[in-house]
Amino acid sequence: MTDFAIIWEWLSFAVRWLHVITAMAWIGSSFYFIALDLGLRQSPDLPKGAYGEEWQVHGGGFYHINKYLVAPERLPDHLIWFKWESYSTWLSGAALLMIVYWAGAELYLIDPAKADLTMVQAILISGGSLALGWAIYDLLCRSRLGDHPTLLMLLLFVLIVAAAWGYDQVFTGRAALLHLGAFTATVMTANVFMIIIPNQKIVVADLRADRQPDAKYGRIAKLRSTHNNYLTLPVIFLMLANHYPLSFASEYNWLIASLVFLMGVTIRHYFNTRHAGKGSPHWTWAVSAVIFIVIMYLSSLGITSRSDDRTLSESSTPQLRPFVNHPQFEEIHQLVAVRCAGCHAAEPLWENIHIAPKGVILESPADVARNARQIYVHAGLTQSMPPANIAFMETEERQQIVRWYQESISGK
């Protein structure tokens, strides 16, 4: 049992690493193909059925690329499908959500001050909301709104704002922003899995059967691909946000997250316009800067870091009870109060720290019990906390934390 915490930490790290790698592959290919698409040029000697071409230089060689809006007359035997980058990113992200937020629901997911949920209820809301979000989005895209892309985008933004606000009503601020990112990423991957790839397969099947493919499948796929392009940057922000309390531990975190989507649109519009050869709309950077300044201002209002003011009996769920019942628990609480709570407090005492790192509060006994594993890993097994040992935690104190955690887990 002692090694389980180490294994769990490394498992989380490994899956996070995998998620970052696959996300880089997906985002890279997405950005490349959008830029390629926008940079296509007409030429008098294009092959029959080709829409445009582009010449590129990279790695010491030249590439000549032609695009067919429907398909070429003859389908090549060697056809590369760009899909596994998307699937792998979502699957690794879902695994990370389960490892961090579902398995650690009491610490990272549930905020009793917002909604006193059981672990099962919180997990059902977490997973169910992702499926519901995709269903609503897909319904909107399949409606007549699909013929009015701008109006559809505005309604999708309203859906995103509603999701941001809704998540903040039931989950911790950290989990709320993470789930908004997962909500958006689910839409993006489902676009690939449910729409883009199936439509491309229909076209391929028609070609192999010597039938003329319907151009509508390409138009539908293009709409979803465009949505994915504009959603990518906000998703990256939301996935990084859990490391920055100023983004999630604010009363207005749902509004901050919503504004990030607008900023993502303005930034992508700049690059899309440049790639299309239509100039450089520098005004988009001014708008992005204004939005970012508003975000910084909102982050300074209504900071919601707070200690867990529940009594030990209220917070002592079966998972936490062993730590609370340990004979040295009071000593551990005092140790953490002296060495850790200067920063990890609702109102940090350390200069230039305005909000507890990662939003983790370690003031009350209930706080310490809920964060037992994190204290054990970061201040017991390793010396990552306090940073640079600024609180002068002694070796004997770290050993005391290790004994407390290990004995609590083993039931000694």
Side-chain angles (χ1 to χ4, degrees), residues 168 173-174 177 237-238 240-260 291-305 345-346 348 352-361:
D168 188 50
R174 182 175 178 176
L177 264 62
F237 179 97
L238 293 170
L240 294 174
N242 69 91
H243 298 284
Y244 297 90
L246 282 174
S247 66
F248 68 76
S250 166
E251 180 181 348
Y252 303 101
N253 56 17
W254 64 273
L255 187 54
I256 289 173
S258 301
L259 290 174
V260 166
I291 295 174
F292 195 65
I293 291 171
V294 173
I295 287 173
M296 289 191 289
Y297 172 72
L298 289 173
S299 72
S300 68
L301 303 176
I303 298 299
T304 57
S305 291
N352 295 327
I353 293 182
H354 304 291
I355 187 170
K358 290 194 175 182
V360 176
I361 308 297

